[in-house]
């Protein structure tokens, strides 16, 4: 599990927190406004949309409820409002929630989801009247392994220090990749607490997203340029895999949106 930088990283993904309570009382309720990326899927038809969700937490009773926006496969905009849903422990700070009852007002069924209370990362899905819809906050992969390989001497360094955030634009066509605790080589030394790569190409798929770039400069102009970036966010975004090159070294990523010790099932 990464340290407190994860939460700061999530803030960069447009997570805005407003706590309900006074300074001299414990906070037991919280309202969070999040950017939500949605993919509505029917067969091979995919419609991406970006909206917002107002999420309310009751930490005393461990409930969650939210209002969010999405578009269906016909491009029609919708707003859903959930009832209070119980948060069930799923390992560490991961909690699951669901509402399997049909909601005739919003036209959705079988809503299930997960949230990481340590980072604010939320994932949920539901059935709409004409499609399946998968929704996430800006995608933060804090549970990853990075393998760095030097092809000149076959030196390999594995680490779990870096986290990867993909902040998608409003059209789901481009994104910023933010890497925390960036280690560029096999020496194993963190050389940037945070580094950004802007303008990566995003392709929504029926199982997640593909993130690609032939070459892109970092926010440290003149340093840490990456090439041959090809990352797949699969299993409805719950799995990350892929690679890129930096300074001639191969960086290979593998990991999960939520830690593997949670008892969740991975959607197909």
């Amino acid at each position: 599990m990464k340290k407190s930088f994860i939460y700061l990283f999530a803030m960069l993904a447009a997570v805005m927190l407003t706590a309900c309570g006074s300074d001299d009382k414990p906070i037991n309720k919280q309202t969070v406004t999040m950017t939500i990326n949605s993919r509505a899927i029917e067969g091979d038809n995919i419609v991406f949309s970006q909206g917002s969700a107002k999420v309310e937490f009751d930490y005393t009773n461990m409930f969650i409820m939210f209002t969010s926006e999405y578009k269906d496969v016909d491009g029609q905009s919708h707003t859903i409002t959930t009832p209070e849903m119980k948060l069930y422990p799923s390992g560490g700070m991961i909690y699951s929630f669901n509402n399997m009852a049909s909601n005739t007002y919003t036209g959705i069924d079988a809503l299930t989801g997960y949230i990481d209370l340590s980072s604010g990362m939320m994932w949920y899905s539901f059935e709409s009247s004409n499609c399946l819809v998968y929704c996430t906050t800006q995608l933060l992969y804090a549970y990853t392994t990075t393998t760095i390989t030097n092809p000149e001497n076959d030196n390999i360094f594995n680490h779990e220090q870096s986290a990867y955030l993909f902040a998608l634009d409003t059209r789901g066509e481009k994104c910023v990749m933010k890497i925390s605790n960036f280690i560029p080589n096999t020496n194993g030394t963190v050389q940037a607490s945070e580094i950004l790569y802007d303008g990566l190409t995003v392709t929504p798929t029926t199982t997640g997203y593909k993130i690609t770039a032939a070459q892109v400069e970092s926010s440290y102009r003149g340093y840490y340029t990456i090439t041959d970036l090809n990352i797949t966010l699969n299993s409805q975004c719950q799995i990350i895999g892929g690679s890129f090159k930096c300074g001639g070294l191969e960086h290979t990523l593998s990991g999960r949106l939520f830690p593997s010790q949670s008892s969740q099932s991975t959607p197909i």
Side-chain angles (χ1 to χ4, degrees), residues 136-204:
T136 70
T137 52
Q138 299 284 34
L139 288 153
L140 173 60
Y141 293 88
Y143 309 97
T144 59
T145 298
T146 304
T147 300
I148 305 172
T149 304
N150 186 337
E152 293 185 356
N153 54 23
D154 294 327
N155 282 351
I156 295 176
F157 176 70
N158 293 294
H159 69 89
E160 298 179 353
Q161 297 187 58
S162 296
Y164 299 84
L165 175 91
F166 300 92
L168 278 61
D169 68 5
T170 57
R171 298 173 64 88
E173 296 175 350
K174 297 289 182 179
C175 76
V176 176
M177 179 175 70
K178 301 179 177 131
I179 308 175
S180 65
N181 292 341
F182 179 60
I183 299 174
N185 54 50
T186 57
N187 292 336
T189 302
V190 173
Q191 295 190 13
S193 59
E194 179 181 281
I195 191 167
L196 284 68
Y197 295 92
D198 198 358
L200 309 184
T201 299
V202 176
T203 304

Side-chain angles (χ1 to χ4, degrees), residues 43-106:
D44 294 329
N45 189 18
I46 308 165
V47 172
F48 172 89
S49 59
Q50 187 178 93
S52 63
K54 180 180 178 182
V55 186
E56 298 178 45
F57 298 96
D58 180 340
Y59 295 115
T60 300
N61 300 300
M62 293 306 291
F63 283 114
I64 185 174
M65 63 181 296
F66 57 85
T67 298
S68 65
E69 305 165 340
Y70 76 98
K71 289 183 179 179
D72 63 22
V73 289
D74 295 323
Q76 298 297 310
S77 298
H78 302 272
T79 299
I80 66 170
T81 299
T82 73
E84 286 188 334
M85 297 176 288
K86 184 69 176 175
L87 288 168
Y88 297 99
S90 189
M93 293 295 288
I94 313 301
Y95 289 81
S96 66
F97 55 87
N98 68 80
N99 178 36
M100 304 308 292
S102 176
N103 189 326
T104 56
Y105 177 71
T106 57

Side-chain angles (χ1 to χ4, degrees), residues 213-226:
Q215 179 172 313
V216 60
E217 275 196 74
S218 77
S219 51
Y220 289 72
R221 297 298 181 186
Y223 298 91
Y224 310 126
T225 296
I226 62 176

